[in-house]
Amino acid sequence: MSIDHRTVDHSWLADLRASLSADFATQTARLRELTEINADTGDPGEAHNRAELLVATRRTIEQITSALHRIAEGTYGVCQRCDRNIPVERLEVLPHARFCVPCQERVNG
């Protein structure tokens, strides 16, 4: 089953938007906490872990923001490479998916 924007279940899309917005708030709070940590313990491993968490959190925020933008534009669920609908099952597992599976495999190369 793929998203057909003419018949999309608008309550599902509204629930998804609300869930993504909640995730955005959670990730933003996490980013704030990570950037406010100034304690230098002298442990390079800890500094590296904090830096990796910052990168991952920023990437997650970008993915959520992009998905919310696509919902607002009416392009959510459409592969950004081949313009085919992304199966709902994929979007339920990976709500920020930009590509269908075949195109994602090509992108990952």
Side-chain angles (χ1 to χ4, degrees):
M1 181 168 107
S2 295
I3 290 184
D4 179 345
H5 291 281
R6 295 171 304 229
T7 62
V8 68
D9 179 347
H10 292 284
S11 66
W12 178 80
L13 206 52
D15 289 346
L16 176 64
R17 185 182 307 115
S19 175
L20 287 168
S21 295
D23 288 347
F24 179 83
T26 300
Q27 294 299 321
T28 302
R30 180 179 183 198
L31 182 63
R32 191 175 317 111
E33 287 174 15
L34 288 168
T35 55
E36 289 174 355
I37 297 173
N38 291 323
D40 183 6
T41 63
D43 180 357
E46 186 177 317
H48 176 76
N49 288 342
R50 187 170 51 249
E52 291 298 316
L53 283 171
L54 279 166
V55 168
T57 303
R58 286 185 178 121
R59 183 179 325 117
T60 299
I61 289 171
E62 288 172 12
Q63 291 170 336
I64 293 168
T65 301
S66 179
L68 287 168
H69 184 71
R70 290 191 306 277
I71 290 171
E73 286 184 330
T75 60
Y76 182 80
V78 176
C79 179
Q80 291 183 337
R81 185 167 182 175
C82 71
D83 290 327
R84 290 189 207 127
N85 289 335
I86 299 171
V88 170
E89 296 83 5
R90 176 166 170 75
L91 294 170
E92 287 174 344
V93 172
L94 195 64
H96 61 270
R98 297 177 350 182
F99 306 109
C100 63
V101 172
C103 287
Q104 184 67 59
E105 290 173 349
R106 286 185 206 109
V107 168
N108 291 346

